[in-house]
Amino acid sequence: MVIAGCRRSAPSPAAPSADNLLGTDDRGRDLLARLLYGFRLSVVFALIVTVLCTVFGVLYGAVQGYFAGWTDIGMERFKEIWGAMPVLYMLIIFSSLFSASFGLLVVLISIFGWLGIAAYVRAEFLKNRTLDYVRAARALGQSNRKIMWRHILPNSLTPVVTLVPFEMAAAIGALTSLDFLGLGVPPGTPSLGELLKQGKENLDAWWISLTTFGVLVVTLLLLILIGDALRDALDPRKVLKEDEA
């Protein structure tokens, strides 16, 4: 029996309403607020992971490509072995062995995410180390460190810049996958993967899966479009054609 003057609260998860524009989750929390906090967590996570992967990938690829020879062969074999590991399975194993935390996930994703950037930087350094301006710098007696970071690196950053949005997209996808499996951030932390898991467990609450999936699609699509735009803007052949026109 309902007492007069009292209002029965809607069951959780509740459908979208005037009070909760996107509805609520399985604990009665506003879904729009959870999506905003989950989006912020994903973006911050992706930025940190991308910075770490970029720095380490550039360092590794620069040393590998500049010195070449046996240094290149040894580092390339290590990279091939490391890249052959099943990344998702390794992440699941490490996440299950250690207590979940934001920092642990950053480290786990970063130690596997630098391989692509290192490969591009290696190729650029292998190409640029044989050019005339590098030979001139060596003839002037400049050190290897100065040649690498002052002369070759600025001319090798184009592929790195174009890869950054794709690295961010991959980091968001990895975090979402781990959260969906329950191996990501600690329970209670708002994340997109945790909301997708809620949507799977509450199939009748369509608004949870639909809105979370929409946020993921839009975020990843924007990152991919940014990467394509950077690739077109920094393409030297296209820039040369525009100058000639």
Side-chain angles (χ1 to χ4, degrees), residues 71-140:
T71 301
D72 178 42
I73 294 174
M75 297 177 74
E76 186 66 17
R77 296 295 82 77
F78 171 79
K79 193 168 63 176
E80 290 174 356
I81 295 172
W82 193 252
M85 294 183 180
V87 177
L88 183 58
Y89 292 145
M90 297 295 294
L91 293 177
I92 292 174
I93 292 172
F94 283 117
S95 298
S96 60
L97 290 177
F98 303 98
S99 58
S101 66
F102 184 85
L104 175 64
L105 292 177
V106 168
V107 173
L108 291 179
I109 302 297
S110 298
I111 61 177
F112 292 105
W114 56 272
L115 295 172
I117 292 179
Y120 277 91
V121 175
R122 168 185 175 268
E124 291 293 318
F125 268 71
L126 283 173
K127 178 183 68 176
N128 291 330
R129 69 188 296 271
T130 60
L131 298 181
D132 292 338
Y133 72 92
V134 176
R135 294 175 179 174
R138 288 200 188 99
L140 292 173

Side-chain angles (χ1 to χ4, degrees), residues 122-192:
R122 168 185 175 268
E124 291 293 318
F125 268 71
L126 283 173
K127 178 183 68 176
N128 291 330
R129 69 188 296 271
T130 60
L131 298 181
D132 292 338
Y133 72 92
V134 176
R135 294 175 179 174
R138 288 200 188 99
L140 292 173
Q142 294 190 2
S143 63
N144 290 329
R145 182 177 62 85
K146 184 175 292 186
I147 295 174
M148 291 171 63
W149 308 121
R150 182 174 295 182
H151 299 291
I152 301 180
L153 183 61
N155 295 293
S156 306
L157 288 179
T158 298
V160 176
V161 173
T162 58
L163 273 178
V164 166
F166 299 100
E167 289 288 334
M168 291 186 63
I172 291 176
L175 177 64
T176 303
S177 301
L178 290 175
D179 288 338
F180 180 79
L181 297 173
L183 299 172
V185 293
T189 305
S191 69
L192 300 179

Side-chain angles (χ1 to χ4, degrees), residues 163-227:
L163 273 178
V164 166
F166 299 100
E167 289 288 334
M168 291 186 63
I172 291 176
L175 177 64
T176 303
S177 301
L178 290 175
D179 288 338
F180 180 79
L181 297 173
L183 299 172
V185 293
T189 305
S191 69
L192 300 179
E194 186 258 345
L195 289 174
L196 285 178
K197 184 179 180 181
Q198 285 191 31
K200 181 182 73 72
E201 296 172 349
N202 301 274
L203 296 178
D204 54 331
W206 53 267
W207 53 90
I208 299 179
S209 300
L210 183 63
T211 54
T212 307
F213 184 73
V215 170
L216 273 174
V217 169
V218 171
T219 302
L220 298 179
L221 180 61
L222 288 176
L223 288 173
I224 292 173
L225 291 176
I226 292 172

Side-chain angles (χ1 to χ4, degrees), residues 14-30:
S17 63
D19 295 328
N20 305 105
L21 297 180
L22 298 181
T24 62
D25 64 1
D26 59 357
R27 298 185 184 179
R29 298 169 295 194
D30 184 66

